[in-house]
Amino acid sequence: MGDWLKNAVFYEIYPQSFYDTNEDGIGDINGITAKLDYIKGLGCNAIWINPCYDSPMKDAGYDVRDYKKVASRYGTNEDLYRLFGEAHKRDMHILLDLVPGHTSEEHEWFLKSQKQDPNEFSGRYIWSTHAFWGSHDYPYIGGESERNGVYFLNFFKCQPALNYGWLNPKEDWQDGIDSPNAIATREAMKDVMRFWLDHGCDGFRVDMAASLVKNDDEEKTGTSKIWQDIRKMLDEDYPEARMVAEWSDPPRAIRAGYHMDFVLNHPGHGYSKLARDYYNHPEDNKDMDKFFTGQTGEDPCLTDHSYFRKDDGADITAFLKDYQEMYDKTKGKGYISLLTCNHDTTRPRFNMTPRELSLYYSFLFTMPGVPFMYYGDEIGMRYLNLPTKEGGYGRTGSRTPMQWKKGKNLGFSDASPSDIYLPVDWRDDAPTVEEEEKDPSSLLNTVRSVLKLRADNEDLQSDGSFESLYAKEGQRPFAYKRGGFIIVINPSGQEETVPVDASGRKVVWQIGNGQAEGSSVKAGPQSFIVFA
Ligand code: GLC
Ligand code: CA
């Protein structure tokens, strides 16, 4: 795979909260352009932007009203085209967020689809043929349309499901995946992708990628066929374009045509059949939960045993077992994407100290695959307890404005504090970029430094080999090999002797203390040591 993902490190931007350039209190596209050098300076050479399209914002933009128009609060399409150009000048790449499974109930397609008279869009969404009947497996809405039928939802009430067909249709109103209606939906989505790719976008993060075909089987046979078809379009017409799935099942997502897939750290919110269909991960990934944030209960919660916690962390074995299996299945075919967190999950600072975070990120950025960092995690921004905004609910606290410097709105915006999108961290010790820049041992500078190590060494990038050297049940240290490097991590508060032979090697990067001693490694408390 000779492509730009080989050394890609992504930065996720929630546009409304990143940087406001016109004093209206809402982050904008020009704000992202203005901060490209900051992002590049961090060591991130690629960006994923959450939906920035015209929308009623009942799910913060995941309810798209017009796929081809930038929401006016973020600027214009021209602003976005300019951002693509400025990114490319810096050898950076930009993924937009594609929301293929549903639109807003205000999308023109839906407004036409809900009319009783048959028209071009009658089959664009999933409708039953009776105003009182739906299906037990999926949520639906009755009594809202002119049309004599109910329509199916993909997520919130405002997000009707687009019609990609059913795997084995059972009712006469259910289309098959190769039916004219299902094909028309698929082609419409390809047209949206072409539109942005033609304007310079480098690919997509795909929302709820496993959700397209209804009544799909466990292998996601139906949904996979659709993505394989879309991948064919990319390979033929946009060979540089890349897609990352929100699927959380890398072997299946990559088989379906994705270049990479996230391993999500969703806390366990009542894994219904619906959630399983959509994200396809819950039950299987419990150990991943434990590993990243440990949040196995309500969102967010403090009863966690994340591997990186000094005092009550778990061992690495549960995570490693899952990871190794995914890695073996996907190696050479596509990438696993580990992430600090995202706009749907609790910021890791919620239950980890900056030191714990520095170990966490150092691990993340020295693993294979393509890593993602959520804006603000590089300075350890907090999760804030806030009332819901634009359908955020428990997620709102992870979506607050970026903290650039001390002073008004922490440098996010010149608008009046009462007008900004969400409040900024109000505590005196709210971390900021400006302050962390001055402190050589800050989280921000640790991130920069480990990303520089990755950038300078192909062995530590996406394709470099990975081998576990030491991982034992009930033991805290973990050692692994990346190409010619040996890495030892000890998240505990005590010095540990790790039976890994690093004799004759040099320490090239470290947090805390550690050295080779005979045929083992002495790893100090909360340490991370890279031997070359
Ligand atoms: C994805 C998005 C989330 C959104 C949902 C519905 O999970 O990440 O923010 O609410 O899909 O589109
Ligand atoms: Ca603005």
Side-chain angles (χ1 to χ4, degrees), residues 19-29 73-75 412-413:
Y19 187 52
D20 172 24
T21 57
N22 64 349
E23 294 180 36
D24 66 354
I26 296 180
D28 39 55
I29 303 289
R73 74 183 198 182
Y74 300 137
F412 160 67
S413 167

Side-chain angles (χ1 to χ4, degrees), residues 32-53:
I32 301 175
T33 311
K35 296 293 185 184
L36 281 177
D37 289 329
Y38 166 76
I39 298 164
K40 180 100 204 239
L42 247 160
C44 295
N45 53 11
I47 295 173
W48 151 33
I49 308 175
N50 289 107
C52 54
Y53 321 106

